[in-house]
Amino acid sequence: MRQHGANVFELASQYGFPLQDIRDFSSNISPYGPPKKAMTQLKNNLHLVTTYPDPSYQALTQSITEYIGVDARQIVLSSGTTPLLKEAIQLLHPRHALLLEPCYSEYAYELKRLGISISIFPLKAENNFEIDVEALISLLKEQKIDFLVFANPNNPTGSIVTREAIKKILIETSTFILVDETYNEFTDPSLYSAIELVHSFEQLLVVRGVSKFYACPGIRLGYGVTGNYSLLKCLKANSTLWEINIFADVMGQSLYSDRGYQMETREKTAEERLYMMERLSRLDGLRVFPSAGNFILCRLENGYKAEELREHLLKEALVIRDCSSFEHLTASDFRFCLLSHADNVKLADAIESFLLDKAKEV
Ligand SMILES: Cc1ncc(COP(=O)(O)O)c(C=O)c1O
C-alpha cells in the first residue's frame, strides 16, 4: 500500500490516543471544513442511501460549471483526483514525461507503472524550490517532452506558477500539460488557475478535488476540465456507471456555490501561513520555505532528522509529514499543513522546544 499523509486510525491504536485528540498536520486537509451548508445537506439526505444517483449527474455538473465558468461538455467527474490522474496518464500514454521534483509521488508511480520514460526538472532548495519557467520551456523543447504533470501549488514545496506562465508554456511548446489544482483554491485562482486556458488550448487538462480545500476526502469527489474533446470522450467512456456516490453528489451540489466559505478559508489560510512563516523563520536550526499552499515545507539544519522531530511531536499527538521518502528531498525535511490557530501555536511551540533540546545536546 502507498503511504501519503498519516494513517490516523493506525496512529490512534499504536499510541493509544483517542482519534479526535490527534492533530493531523500531515494530510493537508483544511481545518475549516466541510462547509456547514454542505454538511446540513448531507444530513438531510441520508435517506438517499437507498437510491441510485442520477447517472448523468446533471445538478452536480451544473454547480461545478457555474463555479469555474466552463461548459458542461468540458468537464468530467471522478471519484477524487487520483483516479483521474491515473486514467488521463493511461489514455494519453505519452512517450516522454517531465516531472518537477520534488512532487506528489503518484505521478511517477503511474508513469513508471506504464513504462513511460521520465525526465526530471529539479526544483532546488537554494532557489526556494521556485519554478524557472524559461528554463522549463527550454528543457521541454530540447528533450522533446510530450507530457508535463505538476501540481500548482506544488506539493510538498508550495511553489506556484501563474496562469500567464502556464499560457506561455502552452504557446511555446506542444507538450500536453496536466495541471493538478488540488491546492489551487487556497490561492487566488484568478491569478493561478489554468482552467480559463482550456478555452484556448487543447493540450491541457486541469484536475481538482474536494479533499483538501473543502475537507471532504471521505466522499471521494473530483473533476477534470479540458477543451480536448477526444480526451474527454475517452475519459467519460472509461468512467464507471454511478461512479460518484450519492452523498458526494449531494454535498458537491452545495460546496461550489458557498462563496462565503471559500473567501473565509482563503483569508484564514493566508493569515495562518504568515503567522507560522514568521514564527518558525525566527528559530535557529530551521529553514522555512515560502509556500503558496495551505502547507509549509521546512528543513532542519545541523543534521537533525525529521524522523526524530516527528517522534518528538507524536508524544503530543501532533502528526507532521516526514518528507524523507520524497524523491529529491532529504532526511531533514518535513512538511506540515495549517490547522486552527490554537493548533498551529501548539505545533510551533513543540518544534521550538525540540530545537532548544537539540541545541542543549551539543
Ligand atoms: C498534489 C495532490 N494531488 C492529488 C491528491 C489526492 O487527491 P484526491 O483525494 O482528490 O484523490 C493529493 C493528496 O495528497 C495531492 O497532494
Side-chain angles (χ1 to χ4, degrees):
M1 198 180 27
R2 275 119 64 210
Q3 190 76 51
H4 289 286
N7 180 341
V8 284
F9 298 102
E10 201 174 79
L11 285 174
S13 86
Q14 194 183 340
Y15 286 83
F17 300 127
L19 199 59
Q20 68 274 14
D21 286 1
I22 295 181
R23 291 294 171 266
D24 183 8
F25 290 89
S26 75
S27 301
N28 296 344
I29 298 168
S30 164
Y32 310 116
K36 287 199 180 57
K37 276 194 238 167
M39 282 305 277
T40 307
Q41 281 292 98
L42 178 66
K43 284 180 198 148
N44 291 345
N45 285 286
L46 286 177
H47 61 279
L48 289 180
V49 71
T50 57
T51 316
Y52 279 103
D54 163 14
S56 66
Y57 297 102
Q58 269 190 21
L60 175 61
T61 305
Q62 191 183 338
S63 76
I64 298 173
T65 54
E66 278 168 12
Y67 173 50
I68 56 175
V70 301
D71 193 278
R73 290 177 311 136
Q74 293 171 309
I75 78 162
V76 56
L77 299 175
S78 122
S79 50
T81 316
T82 306
L84 204 48
L85 288 166
K86 180 181 163 134
E87 268 156 36
I89 294 173
Q90 262 177 30
L91 284 169
L92 292 162
H93 212 291
R95 202 180 25 80
H96 191 177
L98 186 74
L99 295 178
L100 315 185
E101 288 277 13
C103 69
Y104 183 52
S105 58
E106 287 296 305
Y107 314 140
Y109 176 84
E110 208 42 49
L111 291 163
K112 282 183 189 159
R113 205 177 63 79
L114 298 169
I116 294 163
S117 128
I118 304 174
S119 285
I120 303 300
F121 182 83
L123 304 179
K124 299 197 177 112
E126 58 266 33
N127 300 334
N128 281 332
F129 297 104
E130 272 168 27
I131 301 165
D132 178 341
V133 175
E134 292 301 333
L136 177 60
I137 292 175
S138 301
L139 189 74
L140 291 170
K141 285 184 185 164
E142 260 164 42
Q143 299 205 6
K144 299 193 172 54
I145 305 281
D146 58 351
F147 183 73
L148 167 67
V149 51
F150 68 98
N152 200 36
N154 183 41
N155 172 22
T157 61
S159 343
I160 196 161
V161 290
T162 60
R163 175 169 55 240
E164 281 309 303
I166 298 173
K167 186 173 173 185
K168 194 164 195 294
I169 307 173
L170 289 164
I171 290 172
E172 294 192 20
T173 75
S174 54
T175 308
F176 190 99
I177 308 185
L178 201 174
V179 188
D180 177 350
E181 293 198 349
T182 290
Y183 300 100
N184 200 277
E185 288 145 290
F186 288 105
T187 73
D188 177 355
S190 71
L191 280 180
Y192 296 106
S193 172
I195 288 181
E196 206 181 285
L197 301 174
V198 303
H199 300 298
S200 322
F201 299 92
E202 278 195 2
Q203 80 266 33
L204 173 68
L205 170 68
V206 183
V207 297
R208 280 187 177 176
V210 299
S211 299
K212 314 296 185 180
F213 185 74
Y214 293 103
C216 296
I219 61 171
R220 311 305 306 133
L221 179 62
Y223 58 89
V225 197
T226 178
N228 187 320
Y229 291 100
S230 56
L231 175 63
L232 267 170
K233 200 169 153 199
C234 296
L235 285 170
K236 284 182 181 170
N238 263 12
S239 62
T240 315
L241 185 62
W242 303 300
E243 181 163 334
I244 315 298
N245 75 71
I246 198 123
F247 301 121
D249 188 0
V250 163
M251 282 188 92
Q253 290 177 44
S254 154
L255 292 175
Y256 300 108
S257 58
D258 203 335
R259 300 295 150 139
Y261 169 85
Q262 291 153 9
M263 283 225 333
E264 217 176 298
T265 299
R266 237 165 252 144
E267 280 167 17
K268 286 198 220 150
T269 302
E271 267 170 39
E272 289 306 316
R273 189 171 46 220
L274 188 64
Y275 169 77
M276 290 303 264
M277 286 295 301
E278 285 186 353
R279 182 123 190 233
L280 296 182
S281 300
R282 289 200 296 266
L283 300 180
D284 284 336
L286 188 67
R287 171 142 184 221
V288 189
F289 296 101
S291 170
N294 64 325
F295 51 84
I296 296 177
L297 180 67
C298 299
R299 177 163 291 178
L300 291 164
E301 291 173 338
N302 312 321
Y304 305 152
K305 298 275 177 287
E307 192 184 353
E308 208 185 328
L309 173 65
R310 186 174 184 273
E311 286 298 321
H312 174 92
L313 297 172
L314 267 172
K315 290 182 206 134
E316 295 184 49
L318 308 173
V319 189
I320 55 161
R321 175 75 152 90
D322 164 1
C323 288
S324 50
S325 68
F326 275 92
E327 298 277 340
H328 302 267
L329 285 182
T330 73
S332 299
D333 297 332
F334 68 95
R335 187 197 67 204
F336 65 88
C337 68
L338 303 161
L339 295 183
S340 70
H341 185 66
D343 288 338
N344 295 336
V345 170
K346 203 168 164 197
L347 180 70
D349 288 348
I351 294 174
E352 187 169 359
S353 91
F354 170 84
L355 289 169
L356 287 171
D357 287 353
K358 293 301 281 179
K360 278 186 211 144
E361 280 174 18
V362 281

